[in-house]
Amino acid sequence: MKNLKYLFFPILMGICSILNSCENIKNSKYITIGMVDGWAEDVAMTHVAKAILDQRGYHVIIQKASTDMILASMNNEDTDLFMGVWLPYTHAKKVAKFPGLVNIGTNYDSGRIGLVVPEYIPVNSIEELNQQQDQFNHRIIGIEKGAGLTSGTDQAIIDYTLDYKQINSSTIAMITELQNAIQRKQWIVVAGWQPHWMFGKMKLKFLHDPKKVFGEAEQIKTYARKSFGKDHPELTKFFAKVHFDDEHMADLLLKMEHSKNKEATAIKWVEEHPELVKLWLDKK
């Protein structure tokens, strides 16, 4: 029994050491940010935040996953932050599943989702789609199946009684189809959102949504795990101040779209906007 006591003590100490290490990691300068790869605005904002924090001695780890996986991971206290929550419409049901998550601040005020067509197409409202269903081949080109925009598009098909089928694969595939259709002056309708670089590169328009299926203006917010504010009060203040106006967002998205190295582009963008970054870092 005496020998067992001596054996148990180092095991106990080892367990305590592991637990303390885990706690120290949470309180250290290692920060994990969830990111949906393919969402232009989320990729851009996340890399800008990483560029700023890396310069200040933090080690930012970007975790690529779906919205649902990121929110669940934050709920489990495994992921610190997510800068891509769209409210009050797109992600409302997803966020409601995790009431313990904390809304830190708003990154962008003029978000919008809906059905989008090239400007040359003489259709201006979702209500007009059934009159031109053959021109569109009865198809709406969507993005990933788990996205809030995807469920919104499914609802629009029901509410407007559209004789259309939503084709889902990925954001990249949707944009590729859109670009190819525009080059050939073909008819196409896609599930899209703003801010996105495609609005700066292509002449597009949202279809009017009189039933408000896709809601109205949305805000893009940063959410955090429940204990993040306690573990990192200084970073909570920083993320609460991170905000992009239309001009800054458009500039950032266009530069990111042409970039083959997102991290390097974000670092350069941060260097080109010292006054904005200074405002975000102000501790008052």
Side-chain angles (χ1 to χ4, degrees):
M1 181 64 70
K2 187 176 181 180
N3 290 335
L4 285 175
K5 286 182 179 179
Y6 285 118
L7 180 62
F8 177 74
F9 183 73
I11 292 175
L12 180 62
M13 291 300 293
I15 292 172
C16 290
S17 177
I18 292 171
L19 291 174
N20 286 334
S21 296
C22 292
E23 188 62 29
N24 287 336
I25 287 174
K26 276 191 176 181
N27 290 296
S28 73
K29 289 204 166 187
Y30 283 88
I31 307 299
T32 55
I33 305 180
M35 184 185 80
V36 181
D37 202 15
W39 288 11
E41 78 291 342
D42 188 31
V43 171
M45 292 189 297
T46 301
H47 278 91
V48 165
K50 173 177 168 57
I52 295 170
L53 296 181
D54 281 349
Q55 290 175 358
R56 278 148 188 82
Y58 290 91
H59 302 278
V60 178
I61 301 167
I62 296 176
Q63 298 175 332
K64 299 178 183 179
S66 67
T67 304
D68 297 274
M69 291 179 66
I70 293 170
L71 294 176
S73 181
M74 284 199 297
N75 190 61
N76 292 333
E77 296 274 326
D78 294 325
T79 297
D80 290 315
L81 298 151
F82 178 37
M83 300 182 72
V85 177
W86 286 58
L87 291 173
Y89 304 103
T90 306
H91 294 142
K93 292 182 180 179
K94 295 178 184 293
V95 172
K97 295 177 183 177
F98 308 106
L101 300 183
V102 180
N103 174 11
I104 292 183
T106 300
N107 313 318
Y108 185 72
D109 292 302
S110 306
R112 185 179 179 184
I113 65 171
L115 300 185
V116 175
V117 299
E119 282 189 357
Y120 58 77
I121 293 177
V123 173
N124 296 302
S125 173
I126 298 176
E127 290 180 315
E128 300 173 35
L129 287 177
N130 271 342
Q131 300 169 22
Q132 307 289 348
Q133 55 196 21
D134 291 335
Q135 292 272 31
F136 289 111
N137 294 316
H138 298 255
R139 301 192 315 158
I140 297 172
I141 309 303
I143 56 173
E144 295 81 5
K145 285 189 176 181
L149 175 56
T150 299
S151 60
T153 301
D154 285 336
Q155 192 62 48
I157 290 173
I158 295 170
D159 289 0
Y160 286 97
T161 321
L162 300 178
D163 186 15
Y164 282 72
K165 180 180 180 180
Q166 181 176 193
I167 309 300
N168 299 102
S169 56
S170 69
T171 300
I172 294 173
M174 178 273 286
I175 292 173
T176 300
E177 282 215 43
L178 179 60
Q179 289 175 322
N180 291 339
I182 290 175
Q183 287 176 358
R184 302 183 183 104
K185 290 290 181 179
Q186 294 175 335
W187 287 50
I188 186 171
V189 55
V190 305
W193 69 94
Q194 202 171 27
H196 196 285
W197 59 262
M198 63 184 180
F199 283 90
K201 192 172 183 180
M202 296 174 267
K203 293 183 178 180
L204 306 169
K205 61 183 178 182
F206 279 97
L207 294 181
H208 182 49
D209 176 20
K211 295 181 184 292
K212 305 297 182 186
V213 175
F214 293 102
E216 299 182 88
E218 295 208 76
Q219 295 180 324
I220 307 176
K221 297 178 177 289
T222 294
Y223 266 66
R225 59 181 175 84
K226 187 176 182 178
S227 302
F228 184 77
K230 178 182 177 183
D231 295 337
H232 299 284
E234 74 292 349
L235 289 185
T236 301
K237 291 180 180 178
F238 166 71
F239 280 100
K241 292 189 175 185
V242 173
H243 184 272
F244 297 81
D245 60 22
D246 290 338
E247 183 180 349
H248 286 132
M249 181 63 80
D251 176 62
L252 175 61
L253 291 181
L254 202 55
K255 288 178 179 175
M256 279 290 192
E257 191 272 325
H258 292 297
S259 172
K260 293 182 179 179
N261 186 330
K262 305 299 185 189
E263 288 199 19
T265 300
I267 291 171
K268 185 176 180 181
W269 194 88
V270 166
E271 291 172 349
E272 292 172 348
H273 297 82
E275 292 302 318
L276 181 63
V277 174
K278 182 180 179 182
L279 182 66
W280 294 347
L281 290 168
D282 188 349
K283 296 181 180 180
K284 293 181 182 178

PDB file of all heavy atoms in Angstrom, residues 38-42 86 90 111-116 143-144 147 149 171-172 174-175 190-199 206 220 253:
ATOM      1  N   GLY A  38     -13.637  30.038 -48.515  1.00  0.00           N
ATOM      2  CA  GLY A  38     -14.541  30.249 -49.645  1.00  0.00           C
ATOM      3  C   GLY A  38     -15.449  31.447 -49.426  1.00  0.00           C
ATOM      4  O   GLY A  38     -15.985  31.998 -50.384  1.00  0.00           O
ATOM      5  N   TRP A  39     -15.638  31.846 -48.164  1.00  0.00           N
ATOM      6  CA  TRP A  39     -16.396  33.065 -47.869  1.00  0.00           C
ATOM      7  C   TRP A  39     -15.411  34.231 -47.926  1.00  0.00           C
ATOM      8  O   TRP A  39     -14.616  34.427 -47.005  1.00  0.00           O
ATOM      9  CB  TRP A  39     -17.029  32.990 -46.488  1.00  0.00           C
ATOM     10  CG  TRP A  39     -18.182  32.036 -46.386  1.00  0.00           C
ATOM     11  CD1 TRP A  39     -18.569  31.104 -47.307  1.00  0.00           C
ATOM     12  CD2 TRP A  39     -19.096  31.929 -45.295  1.00  0.00           C
ATOM     13  NE1 TRP A  39     -19.661  30.410 -46.854  1.00  0.00           N
ATOM     14  CE2 TRP A  39     -20.015  30.898 -45.621  1.00  0.00           C
ATOM     15  CE3 TRP A  39     -19.234  32.595 -44.086  1.00  0.00           C
ATOM     16  CZ2 TRP A  39     -21.045  30.520 -44.774  1.00  0.00           C
ATOM     17  CZ3 TRP A  39     -20.256  32.227 -43.236  1.00  0.00           C
ATOM     18  CH2 TRP A  39     -21.159  31.207 -43.583  1.00  0.00           C
ATOM     19  N   ALA A  40     -15.474  35.000 -48.995  1.00  0.00           N
ATOM     20  CA  ALA A  40     -14.459  36.021 -49.250  1.00  0.00           C
ATOM     21  C   ALA A  40     -14.281  36.991 -48.090  1.00  0.00           C
ATOM     22  O   ALA A  40     -13.155  37.292 -47.676  1.00  0.00           O
ATOM     23  CB  ALA A  40     -14.805  36.784 -50.529  1.00  0.00           C
ATOM     24  N   GLU A  41     -15.401  37.480 -47.545  1.00  0.00           N
ATOM     25  CA  GLU A  41     -15.300  38.472 -46.473  1.00  0.00           C
ATOM     26  C   GLU A  41     -14.763  37.870 -45.187  1.00  0.00           C
ATOM     27  O   GLU A  41     -13.990  38.507 -44.453  1.00  0.00           O
ATOM     28  CB  GLU A  41     -16.660  39.164 -46.248  1.00  0.00           C
ATOM     29  CG  GLU A  41     -17.693  38.373 -45.457  1.00  0.00           C
ATOM     30  CD  GLU A  41     -18.243  37.149 -46.175  1.00  0.00           C
ATOM     31  OE1 GLU A  41     -18.095  37.059 -47.413  1.00  0.00           O
ATOM     32  OE2 GLU A  41     -18.830  36.286 -45.500  1.00  0.00           O
ATOM     33  N   ASP A  42     -15.122  36.627 -44.883  1.00  0.00           N
ATOM     34  CA  ASP A  42     -14.642  35.968 -43.670  1.00  0.00           C
ATOM     35  C   ASP A  42     -13.153  35.681 -43.778  1.00  0.00           C
ATOM     36  O   ASP A  42     -12.393  35.912 -42.832  1.00  0.00           O
ATOM     37  CB  ASP A  42     -15.427  34.676 -43.433  1.00  0.00           C
ATOM     38  CG  ASP A  42     -15.122  34.042 -42.085  1.00  0.00           C
ATOM     39  OD1 ASP A  42     -14.818  34.794 -41.129  1.00  0.00           O
ATOM     40  OD2 ASP A  42     -15.182  32.803 -41.971  1.00  0.00           O
ATOM     41  N   TRP A  86     -23.582  36.089 -39.515  1.00  0.00           N
ATOM     42  CA  TRP A  86     -24.509  37.021 -40.168  1.00  0.00           C
ATOM     43  C   TRP A  86     -25.835  37.036 -39.412  1.00  0.00           C
ATOM     44  O   TRP A  86     -26.489  36.000 -39.272  1.00  0.00           O
ATOM     45  CB  TRP A  86     -24.758  36.584 -41.608  1.00  0.00           C
ATOM     46  CG  TRP A  86     -23.628  36.847 -42.557  1.00  0.00           C
ATOM     47  CD1 TRP A  86     -22.349  36.383 -42.460  1.00  0.00           C
ATOM     48  CD2 TRP A  86     -23.677  37.626 -43.759  1.00  0.00           C
ATOM     49  NE1 TRP A  86     -21.602  36.818 -43.518  1.00  0.00           N
ATOM     50  CE2 TRP A  86     -22.394  37.584 -44.335  1.00  0.00           C
ATOM     51  CE3 TRP A  86     -24.693  38.336 -44.393  1.00  0.00           C
ATOM     52  CZ2 TRP A  86     -22.093  38.238 -45.536  1.00  0.00           C
ATOM     53  CZ3 TRP A  86     -24.399  38.991 -45.585  1.00  0.00           C
ATOM     54  CH2 TRP A  86     -23.111  38.947 -46.138  1.00  0.00           C
ATOM     55  N   THR A  90     -29.484  35.311 -41.513  1.00  0.00           N
ATOM     56  CA  THR A  90     -28.797  34.146 -42.080  1.00  0.00           C
ATOM     57  C   THR A  90     -28.427  33.087 -41.055  1.00  0.00           C
ATOM     58  O   THR A  90     -28.689  31.897 -41.247  1.00  0.00           O
ATOM     59  CB  THR A  90     -27.528  34.596 -42.842  1.00  0.00           C
ATOM     60  OG1 THR A  90     -27.893  35.589 -43.805  1.00  0.00           O
ATOM     61  CG2 THR A  90     -26.881  33.417 -43.547  1.00  0.00           C
ATOM     62  N   GLY A 111     -24.401  44.020 -44.855  1.00  0.00           N
ATOM     63  CA  GLY A 111     -24.462  42.706 -45.470  1.00  0.00           C
ATOM     64  C   GLY A 111     -25.815  42.454 -46.125  1.00  0.00           C
ATOM     65  O   GLY A 111     -26.838  42.986 -45.690  1.00  0.00           O
ATOM     66  N   ARG A 112     -25.803  41.633 -47.164  1.00  0.00           N
ATOM     67  CA  ARG A 112     -27.050  41.302 -47.848  1.00  0.00           C
ATOM     68  C   ARG A 112     -26.924  39.940 -48.508  1.00  0.00           C
ATOM     69  O   ARG A 112     -25.855  39.606 -49.039  1.00  0.00           O
ATOM     70  CB  ARG A 112     -27.359  42.363 -48.904  1.00  0.00           C
ATOM     71  CG  ARG A 112     -28.703  42.160 -49.597  1.00  0.00           C
ATOM     72  CD  ARG A 112     -28.975  43.252 -50.610  1.00  0.00           C
ATOM     73  NE  ARG A 112     -30.259  43.029 -51.288  1.00  0.00           N
ATOM     74  CZ  ARG A 112     -30.726  43.783 -52.269  1.00  0.00           C
ATOM     75  NH1 ARG A 112     -30.013  44.825 -52.683  1.00  0.00           N
ATOM     76  NH2 ARG A 112     -31.891  43.516 -52.831  1.00  0.00           N
ATOM     77  N   ILE A 113     -27.990  39.152 -48.480  1.00  0.00           N
ATOM     78  CA  ILE A 113     -28.022  37.876 -49.187  1.00  0.00           C
ATOM     79  C   ILE A 113     -29.263  37.831 -50.072  1.00  0.00           C
ATOM     80  O   ILE A 113     -30.227  38.573 -49.846  1.00  0.00           O
ATOM     81  CB  ILE A 113     -28.030  36.670 -48.228  1.00  0.00           C
ATOM     82  CG1 ILE A 113     -29.326  36.638 -47.396  1.00  0.00           C
ATOM     83  CG2 ILE A 113     -26.805  36.675 -47.331  1.00  0.00           C
ATOM     84  CD1 ILE A 113     -29.504  35.368 -46.585  1.00  0.00           C
ATOM     85  N   GLY A 114     -29.241  36.970 -51.084  1.00  0.00           N
ATOM     86  CA  GLY A 114     -30.403  36.840 -51.946  1.00  0.00           C
ATOM     87  C   GLY A 114     -30.058  36.187 -53.263  1.00  0.00           C
ATOM     88  O   GLY A 114     -29.000  35.577 -53.418  1.00  0.00           O
ATOM     89  N   LEU A 115     -30.959  36.311 -54.220  1.00  0.00           N
ATOM     90  CA  LEU A 115     -30.744  35.774 -55.553  1.00  0.00           C
ATOM     91  C   LEU A 115     -30.176  36.869 -56.448  1.00  0.00           C
ATOM     92  O   LEU A 115     -30.651  38.009 -56.435  1.00  0.00           O
ATOM     93  CB  LEU A 115     -32.042  35.220 -56.132  1.00  0.00           C
ATOM     94  CG  LEU A 115     -32.678  34.076 -55.322  1.00  0.00           C
ATOM     95  CD1 LEU A 115     -33.887  33.510 -56.051  1.00  0.00           C
ATOM     96  CD2 LEU A 115     -31.660  32.969 -55.037  1.00  0.00           C
ATOM     97  N   VAL A 116     -29.160  36.509 -57.208  1.00  0.00           N
ATOM     98  CA  VAL A 116     -28.385  37.480 -57.976  1.00  0.00           C
ATOM     99  C   VAL A 116     -28.329  37.062 -59.445  1.00  0.00           C
ATOM    100  O   VAL A 116     -28.177  35.876 -59.755  1.00  0.00           O
ATOM    101  CB  VAL A 116     -26.949  37.584 -57.407  1.00  0.00           C
ATOM    102  CG1 VAL A 116     -26.088  38.500 -58.264  1.00  0.00           C
ATOM    103  CG2 VAL A 116     -26.989  38.073 -55.956  1.00  0.00           C
ATOM    104  N   ILE A 143     -24.623  27.481 -53.235  1.00  0.00           N
ATOM    105  CA  ILE A 143     -23.294  27.219 -52.662  1.00  0.00           C
ATOM    106  C   ILE A 143     -23.373  25.948 -51.813  1.00  0.00           C
ATOM    107  O   ILE A 143     -24.078  25.017 -52.167  1.00  0.00           O
ATOM    108  CB  ILE A 143     -22.785  28.434 -51.864  1.00  0.00           C
ATOM    109  CG1 ILE A 143     -23.783  28.837 -50.756  1.00  0.00           C
ATOM    110  CG2 ILE A 143     -22.556  29.615 -52.805  1.00  0.00           C
ATOM    111  CD1 ILE A 143     -23.255  29.915 -49.821  1.00  0.00           C
ATOM    112  N   GLU A 144     -22.641  25.901 -50.701  1.00  0.00           N
ATOM    113  CA  GLU A 144     -22.597  24.700 -49.868  1.00  0.00           C
ATOM    114  C   GLU A 144     -23.955  24.401 -49.245  1.00  0.00           C
ATOM    115  O   GLU A 144     -24.697  25.318 -48.882  1.00  0.00           O
ATOM    116  CB  GLU A 144     -21.543  24.864 -48.769  1.00  0.00           C
ATOM    117  CG  GLU A 144     -20.115  24.973 -49.277  1.00  0.00           C
ATOM    118  CD  GLU A 144     -19.724  26.349 -49.774  1.00  0.00           C
ATOM    119  OE1 GLU A 144     -20.534  27.308 -49.660  1.00  0.00           O
ATOM    120  OE2 GLU A 144     -18.619  26.491 -50.294  1.00  0.00           O
ATOM    121  N   ALA A 147     -25.037  25.997 -45.689  1.00  0.00           N
ATOM    122  CA  ALA A 147     -25.023  27.454 -45.497  1.00  0.00           C
ATOM    123  C   ALA A 147     -26.420  28.004 -45.243  1.00  0.00           C
ATOM    124  O   ALA A 147     -27.415  27.484 -45.744  1.00  0.00           O
ATOM    125  CB  ALA A 147     -24.420  28.125 -46.732  1.00  0.00           C
ATOM    126  N   LEU A 149     -27.546  30.742 -46.445  1.00  0.00           N
ATOM    127  CA  LEU A 149     -28.020  31.211 -47.738  1.00  0.00           C
ATOM    128  C   LEU A 149     -28.703  30.084 -48.508  1.00  0.00           C
ATOM    129  O   LEU A 149     -29.680  30.309 -49.223  1.00  0.00           O
ATOM    130  CB  LEU A 149     -26.843  31.777 -48.540  1.00  0.00           C
ATOM    131  CG  LEU A 149     -27.110  32.221 -49.978  1.00  0.00           C
ATOM    132  CD1 LEU A 149     -28.222  33.255 -50.039  1.00  0.00           C
ATOM    133  CD2 LEU A 149     -25.827  32.776 -50.598  1.00  0.00           C
ATOM    134  N   THR A 171     -18.946  27.415 -53.086  1.00  0.00           N
ATOM    135  CA  THR A 171     -18.901  28.828 -53.477  1.00  0.00           C
ATOM    136  C   THR A 171     -18.049  29.009 -54.725  1.00  0.00           C
ATOM    137  O   THR A 171     -18.416  29.754 -55.644  1.00  0.00           O
ATOM    138  CB  THR A 171     -18.338  29.681 -52.327  1.00  0.00           C
ATOM    139  OG1 THR A 171     -19.181  29.541 -51.184  1.00  0.00           O
ATOM    140  CG2 THR A 171     -18.254  31.140 -52.720  1.00  0.00           C
ATOM    141  N   ILE A 172     -16.912  28.334 -54.765  1.00  0.00           N
ATOM    142  CA  ILE A 172     -16.006  28.444 -55.918  1.00  0.00           C
ATOM    143  C   ILE A 172     -16.703  27.966 -57.189  1.00  0.00           C
ATOM    144  O   ILE A 172     -16.597  28.590 -58.245  1.00  0.00           O
ATOM    145  CB  ILE A 172     -14.713  27.646 -55.668  1.00  0.00           C
ATOM    146  CG1 ILE A 172     -13.923  28.292 -54.514  1.00  0.00           C
ATOM    147  CG2 ILE A 172     -13.863  27.590 -56.926  1.00  0.00           C
ATOM    148  CD1 ILE A 172     -12.725  27.497 -54.069  1.00  0.00           C
ATOM    149  N   MET A 174     -19.921  27.916 -57.784  1.00  0.00           N
ATOM    150  CA  MET A 174     -20.963  28.886 -58.142  1.00  0.00           C
ATOM    151  C   MET A 174     -20.367  30.059 -58.903  1.00  0.00           C
ATOM    152  O   MET A 174     -20.881  30.486 -59.946  1.00  0.00           O
ATOM    153  CB  MET A 174     -21.677  29.378 -56.874  1.00  0.00           C
ATOM    154  CG  MET A 174     -22.753  30.439 -57.116  1.00  0.00           C
ATOM    155  SD  MET A 174     -22.112  32.147 -57.149  1.00  0.00           S
ATOM    156  CE  MET A 174     -21.799  32.423 -55.400  1.00  0.00           C
ATOM    157  N   ILE A 175     -19.261  30.596 -58.394  1.00  0.00           N
ATOM    158  CA  ILE A 175     -18.633  31.750 -59.033  1.00  0.00           C
ATOM    159  C   ILE A 175     -18.099  31.383 -60.412  1.00  0.00           C
ATOM    160  O   ILE A 175     -18.195  32.172 -61.361  1.00  0.00           O
ATOM    161  CB  ILE A 175     -17.511  32.303 -58.132  1.00  0.00           C
ATOM    162  CG1 ILE A 175     -18.121  32.917 -56.862  1.00  0.00           C
ATOM    163  CG2 ILE A 175     -16.685  33.350 -58.881  1.00  0.00           C
ATOM    164  CD1 ILE A 175     -17.108  33.335 -55.831  1.00  0.00           C
ATOM    165  N   VAL A 190     -28.005  33.015 -59.377  1.00  0.00           N
ATOM    166  CA  VAL A 190     -27.203  32.364 -58.335  1.00  0.00           C
ATOM    167  C   VAL A 190     -27.626  32.858 -56.956  1.00  0.00           C
ATOM    168  O   VAL A 190     -28.256  33.915 -56.820  1.00  0.00           O
ATOM    169  CB  VAL A 190     -25.686  32.635 -58.530  1.00  0.00           C
ATOM    170  CG1 VAL A 190     -25.236  32.207 -59.930  1.00  0.00           C
ATOM    171  CG2 VAL A 190     -25.356  34.108 -58.277  1.00  0.00           C
ATOM    172  N   ALA A 191     -27.298  32.081 -55.957  1.00  0.00           N
ATOM    173  CA  ALA A 191     -27.456  32.514 -54.564  1.00  0.00           C
ATOM    174  C   ALA A 191     -26.195  33.277 -54.187  1.00  0.00           C
ATOM    175  O   ALA A 191     -25.096  32.708 -54.215  1.00  0.00           O
ATOM    176  CB  ALA A 191     -27.657  31.303 -53.660  1.00  0.00           C
ATOM    177  N   GLY A 192     -26.339  34.563 -53.881  1.00  0.00           N
ATOM    178  CA  GLY A 192     -25.147  35.375 -53.627  1.00  0.00           C
ATOM    179  C   GLY A 192     -25.283  36.261 -52.406  1.00  0.00           C
ATOM    180  O   GLY A 192     -26.337  36.311 -51.766  1.00  0.00           O
ATOM    181  N   TRP A 193     -24.200  36.926 -52.100  1.00  0.00           N
ATOM    182  CA  TRP A 193     -24.202  37.817 -50.938  1.00  0.00           C
ATOM    183  C   TRP A 193     -23.209  38.950 -51.139  1.00  0.00           C
ATOM    184  O   TRP A 193     -22.306  38.884 -51.967  1.00  0.00           O
ATOM    185  CB  TRP A 193     -23.869  37.049 -49.658  1.00  0.00           C
ATOM    186  CG  TRP A 193     -22.444  36.562 -49.577  1.00  0.00           C
ATOM    187  CD1 TRP A 193     -21.383  37.200 -48.983  1.00  0.00           C
ATOM    188  CD2 TRP A 193     -21.912  35.341 -50.104  1.00  0.00           C
ATOM    189  NE1 TRP A 193     -20.240  36.447 -49.103  1.00  0.00           N
ATOM    190  CE2 TRP A 193     -20.538  35.303 -49.790  1.00  0.00           C
ATOM    191  CE3 TRP A 193     -22.477  34.272 -50.808  1.00  0.00           C
ATOM    192  CZ2 TRP A 193     -19.712  34.245 -50.160  1.00  0.00           C
ATOM    193  CZ3 TRP A 193     -21.651  33.212 -51.183  1.00  0.00           C
ATOM    194  CH2 TRP A 193     -20.288  33.201 -50.851  1.00  0.00           C
ATOM    195  N   GLN A 194     -23.427  39.978 -50.384  1.00  0.00           N
ATOM    196  CA  GLN A 194     -22.559  41.145 -50.383  1.00  0.00           C
ATOM    197  C   GLN A 194     -22.237  41.505 -48.931  1.00  0.00           C
ATOM    198  O   GLN A 194     -23.155  41.483 -48.107  1.00  0.00           O
ATOM    199  CB  GLN A 194     -23.270  42.317 -51.073  1.00  0.00           C
ATOM    200  CG  GLN A 194     -22.355  43.388 -51.610  1.00  0.00           C
ATOM    201  CD  GLN A 194     -23.106  44.405 -52.461  1.00  0.00           C
ATOM    202  OE1 GLN A 194     -24.290  44.616 -52.256  1.00  0.00           O
ATOM    203  NE2 GLN A 194     -22.452  45.037 -53.401  1.00  0.00           N
ATOM    204  N   PRO A 195     -20.973  41.732 -48.543  1.00  0.00           N
ATOM    205  CA  PRO A 195     -19.848  42.044 -49.418  1.00  0.00           C
ATOM    206  C   PRO A 195     -19.210  40.806 -50.063  1.00  0.00           C
ATOM    207  O   PRO A 195     -19.084  39.762 -49.422  1.00  0.00           O
ATOM    208  CB  PRO A 195     -18.856  42.711 -48.459  1.00  0.00           C
ATOM    209  CG  PRO A 195     -19.127  42.054 -47.139  1.00  0.00           C
ATOM    210  CD  PRO A 195     -20.616  41.828 -47.116  1.00  0.00           C
ATOM    211  N   HIS A 196     -18.826  40.957 -51.294  1.00  0.00           N
ATOM    212  CA  HIS A 196     -18.092  39.921 -52.018  1.00  0.00           C
ATOM    213  C   HIS A 196     -17.406  40.582 -53.208  1.00  0.00           C
ATOM    214  O   HIS A 196     -17.980  41.469 -53.857  1.00  0.00           O
ATOM    215  CB  HIS A 196     -19.020  38.816 -52.499  1.00  0.00           C
ATOM    216  CG  HIS A 196     -18.294  37.569 -52.911  1.00  0.00           C
ATOM    217  ND1 HIS A 196     -17.592  37.483 -54.088  1.00  0.00           N
ATOM    218  CD2 HIS A 196     -18.138  36.381 -52.280  1.00  0.00           C
ATOM    219  CE1 HIS A 196     -17.045  36.282 -54.171  1.00  0.00           C
ATOM    220  NE2 HIS A 196     -17.352  35.602 -53.090  1.00  0.00           N
ATOM    221  N   TRP A 197     -16.193  40.120 -53.504  1.00  0.00           N
ATOM    222  CA  TRP A 197     -15.426  40.726 -54.590  1.00  0.00           C
ATOM    223  C   TRP A 197     -16.110  40.585 -55.951  1.00  0.00           C
ATOM    224  O   TRP A 197     -15.838  41.356 -56.873  1.00  0.00           O
ATOM    225  CB  TRP A 197     -14.018  40.136 -54.670  1.00  0.00           C
ATOM    226  CG  TRP A 197     -13.957  38.647 -54.892  1.00  0.00           C
ATOM    227  CD1 TRP A 197     -13.772  37.692 -53.946  1.00  0.00           C
ATOM    228  CD2 TRP A 197     -14.105  37.949 -56.143  1.00  0.00           C
ATOM    229  NE1 TRP A 197     -13.788  36.439 -54.516  1.00  0.00           N
ATOM    230  CE2 TRP A 197     -13.982  36.565 -55.859  1.00  0.00           C
ATOM    231  CE3 TRP A 197     -14.315  38.342 -57.460  1.00  0.00           C
ATOM    232  CZ2 TRP A 197     -14.076  35.585 -56.850  1.00  0.00           C
ATOM    233  CZ3 TRP A 197     -14.406  37.376 -58.455  1.00  0.00           C
ATOM    234  CH2 TRP A 197     -14.285  36.018 -58.150  1.00  0.00           C
ATOM    235  N   MET A 198     -17.017  39.609 -56.099  1.00  0.00           N
ATOM    236  CA  MET A 198     -17.645  39.405 -57.411  1.00  0.00           C
ATOM    237  C   MET A 198     -18.467  40.630 -57.831  1.00  0.00           C
ATOM    238  O   MET A 198     -18.645  40.877 -59.021  1.00  0.00           O
ATOM    239  CB  MET A 198     -18.513  38.144 -57.426  1.00  0.00           C
ATOM    240  CG  MET A 198     -19.693  38.138 -56.498  1.00  0.00           C
ATOM    241  SD  MET A 198     -20.541  36.507 -56.572  1.00  0.00           S
ATOM    242  CE  MET A 198     -21.869  36.790 -55.385  1.00  0.00           C
ATOM    243  N   PHE A 199     -18.958  41.420 -56.852  1.00  0.00           N
ATOM    244  CA  PHE A 199     -19.714  42.621 -57.195  1.00  0.00           C
ATOM    245  C   PHE A 199     -18.803  43.734 -57.708  1.00  0.00           C
ATOM    246  O   PHE A 199     -19.256  44.640 -58.404  1.00  0.00           O
ATOM    247  CB  PHE A 199     -20.520  43.109 -55.994  1.00  0.00           C
ATOM    248  CG  PHE A 199     -21.768  42.310 -55.747  1.00  0.00           C
ATOM    249  CD1 PHE A 199     -21.738  41.190 -54.924  1.00  0.00           C
ATOM    250  CD2 PHE A 199     -22.959  42.657 -56.352  1.00  0.00           C
ATOM    251  CE1 PHE A 199     -22.882  40.438 -54.700  1.00  0.00           C
ATOM    252  CE2 PHE A 199     -24.109  41.911 -56.140  1.00  0.00           C
ATOM    253  CZ  PHE A 199     -24.066  40.795 -55.312  1.00  0.00           C
ATOM    254  N   PHE A 206     -29.045  42.262 -57.327  1.00  0.00           N
ATOM    255  CA  PHE A 206     -29.931  41.422 -56.526  1.00  0.00           C
ATOM    256  C   PHE A 206     -31.340  41.497 -57.097  1.00  0.00           C
ATOM    257  O   PHE A 206     -31.782  42.562 -57.527  1.00  0.00           O
ATOM    258  CB  PHE A 206     -29.962  41.901 -55.068  1.00  0.00           C
ATOM    259  CG  PHE A 206     -28.813  41.432 -54.230  1.00  0.00           C
ATOM    260  CD1 PHE A 206     -27.712  42.242 -54.027  1.00  0.00           C
ATOM    261  CD2 PHE A 206     -28.842  40.174 -53.624  1.00  0.00           C
ATOM    262  CE1 PHE A 206     -26.651  41.818 -53.247  1.00  0.00           C
ATOM    263  CE2 PHE A 206     -27.784  39.749 -52.841  1.00  0.00           C
ATOM    264  CZ  PHE A 206     -26.689  40.565 -52.655  1.00  0.00           C
ATOM    265  N   ILE A 220     -22.494  41.686 -39.998  1.00  0.00           N
ATOM    266  CA  ILE A 220     -21.555  40.583 -39.812  1.00  0.00           C
ATOM    267  C   ILE A 220     -20.877  40.794 -38.467  1.00  0.00           C
ATOM    268  O   ILE A 220     -20.294  41.846 -38.220  1.00  0.00           O
ATOM    269  CB  ILE A 220     -20.512  40.521 -40.937  1.00  0.00           C
ATOM    270  CG1 ILE A 220     -21.205  40.487 -42.306  1.00  0.00           C
ATOM    271  CG2 ILE A 220     -19.620  39.290 -40.761  1.00  0.00           C
ATOM    272  CD1 ILE A 220     -20.242  40.518 -43.474  1.00  0.00           C
ATOM    273  N   LEU A 253     -11.377  43.220 -50.181  1.00  0.00           N
ATOM    274  CA  LEU A 253     -11.858  42.048 -50.913  1.00  0.00           C
ATOM    275  C   LEU A 253     -11.267  41.970 -52.309  1.00  0.00           C
ATOM    276  O   LEU A 253     -10.923  40.884 -52.794  1.00  0.00           O
ATOM    277  CB  LEU A 253     -13.387  42.061 -50.991  1.00  0.00           C
ATOM    278  CG  LEU A 253     -14.133  41.831 -49.675  1.00  0.00           C
ATOM    279  CD1 LEU A 253     -15.637  41.848 -49.919  1.00  0.00           C
ATOM    280  CD2 LEU A 253     -13.729  40.513 -49.035  1.00  0.00           C
TER     281      LEU A 253
END
